[in-house]
Amino acid sequence: MRTTTDYYSASGPSLDACAFLGQRYDEGRGYKPFEGECWLLSIQREAEGALSAVNHFGSTGWWTRLWRSPTGGVFVSSTTDAKVLYHPDLQGEPENDFESKKLGVTLNGVWGLDDDFVLAWGATFEGTRHVFRYDGKKWKELPAPDFEVRAMHGLAPNFVYAVGVGGGIARWNGKAWKNFPAPTDEVLNSVFVADEDEMYATGGAGSLLEGSAHGWGRIAEGPVPGMPLLGVAKLSASSPTSGPWTLMLARTCSSPVETSSPRPWTARPSLRAGVTSS
C-alpha cells in the first residue's frame, strides 16, 4: 500500500495564523471514510522564528471544510457524523477542548463572516437541502437554495453567494435566495465575493466564472482540459500567494470588460510553501 497525504481547506489571515485540513489514505483506493484519516492542523511560529505545522485533532471520518474566524475560532464541517466541530483558539489556547454540534444532515461545508455569523450547509440522502446559521450562541436552520451547495462566500449577513451542483448560483439577501443563470452546468466548487459587483467561481470541469450584479459569464478555462479548479480568491498586489504546487490564474489586463467577454489570464505555479486556500 502506498500512503498519500493531501492538504486542503486552509483559512486564516496569514500563513502563521492559518488552520487547515489534511487527509492520509491509500493512494490506490482514494480517500474513504473509516479507512483513511482526517486531521486538523495549524501553522505556528516557533520561538526562533521558524514555522511548523501542528497536528491538533484527528478522525477516521470525512471532514469537508474548515473556516477560521477573525478572533481565531475554528469551525470544521463533517460529512460522516453530521457535526460541526469548534475550537475557540488553536493558536492561543490549544489545550481547550473541541466542542461539537450535531446538525443532523451530511455537511458539505462551513464558512462565516465572524463569530456571530457562521453558515453550515449540507443535504440528506433523500435529496433535501439544508443551511444552518450560528449566531454565537446556537444554530438555527435557514432557507436553502434549490441546489446542493458546495461553497459560500459574502460580504455581509444580507449579501452571501452560494454555488454548487448543476452550475447552481444564488444570492442571499437576509430573507430569501435569488437564483442566477450560470454559463455551465458543471459542479461549482468555490466562490469568492470581492465586492457587490465583482465575484468569481470555479468549476469541476475547469471553468473560471466571473459575476456582477447583472449576471455571470465564463472568462477562462483551466490550463489542463477537464481539470477541476478547486478554489479562487482575489488578492491585492501585496498579498502573499499560497501553495504548495498551487496553480494560480493571474489576470493580465487591467481595464474592465463585460463579463460575457473572455479575458486574458495566464497560469503560473505558486512558489511559496503552504497549503491551498479555500
Side-chain angles (χ1 to χ4, degrees):
M1 180 181 75
R2 180 176 178 179
T3 301
T4 189
T5 303
D6 290 333
Y7 301 107
Y8 62 105
S9 198
S11 180
S14 63
L15 187 60
D16 57 355
C18 168
F20 59 101
L21 299 177
Q23 289 181 339
R24 186 165 57 188
Y25 55 92
D26 179 350
E27 188 178 75
R29 290 179 55 79
Y31 188 83
K32 297 182 182 299
F34 312 115
E35 294 183 11
E37 302 168 348
C38 273
W39 295 93
L40 170 57
L41 306 98
S42 68
I43 300 293
Q44 299 191 10
R45 190 173 296 277
E46 300 175 353
E48 62 274 17
L51 295 175
S52 64
V54 178
N55 183 358
H56 296 278
F57 191 62
S59 170
T60 57
W62 193 326
W63 293 341
T64 46
R65 281 184 182 261
L66 176 150
W67 177 73
R68 182 190 184 277
S69 79
T71 61
V74 172
F75 296 80
V76 178
S77 57
S78 172
T79 189
T80 43
D81 54 13
K83 291 181 179 179
V84 173
L85 300 173
Y86 169 73
H87 192 284
D89 188 357
L90 286 179
Q91 263 88 9
E93 300 178 341
E95 69 279 0
N96 285 350
D97 292 334
F98 282 83
E99 304 172 13
S100 67
K101 175 63 177 179
K102 193 173 184 68
L103 297 180
V105 302
T106 298
L107 294 175
N108 292 330
V110 63
W111 169 84
L113 291 166
D114 53 40
D115 295 290
D116 297 330
F117 188 83
V118 183
L119 300 175
W121 56 90
T124 66
F125 291 110
E126 291 76 25
T128 61
R129 293 101 175 183
H130 301 267
V131 174
F132 304 88
R133 180 208 167 166
Y134 180 67
D135 63 5
K137 296 180 180 179
K138 61 183 179 180
W139 289 91
K140 177 183 178 181
E141 187 160 7
L142 298 178
D146 61 0
F147 55 86
E148 186 174 337
V149 175
R150 293 296 175 86
M152 290 191 187
H153 193 256
L155 303 174
N158 62 353
F159 198 89
V160 175
Y161 272 84
V163 299
V165 175
I169 300 174
R171 186 179 68 211
W172 174 252
N173 66 5
K175 296 181 180 180
W177 293 95
K178 177 184 178 180
N179 288 344
F180 289 84
T184 178
D185 60 0
E186 64 197 281
V187 176
L188 298 180
N189 296 310
S190 71
V191 61
F192 184 87
V193 181
D195 60 43
E196 293 186 0
D197 200 34
E198 182 185 9
M199 56 282 302
Y200 302 90
T202 61
S207 291
L208 176 63
L209 310 183
E210 183 174 11
S212 70
H214 307 290
W216 288 75
R218 183 189 286 109
I219 57 172
E221 300 288 338
V224 179
M227 180 188 75
L229 295 180
L230 301 178
V232 62
K234 182 179 180 179
L235 305 178
S236 66
S238 60
S239 297
T241 59
S242 60
W245 323 123
T246 303
L247 183 68
M248 303 183 67
L249 295 176
R251 181 179 295 172
T252 57
C253 68
S254 57
S255 59
V257 296
E258 296 297 324
T259 58
S260 59
S261 304
R263 300 186 178 189
W265 290 65
T266 57
R268 58 185 175 89
S270 170
L271 302 179
R272 185 182 177 91
V275 291
T276 304
S277 61
S278 66

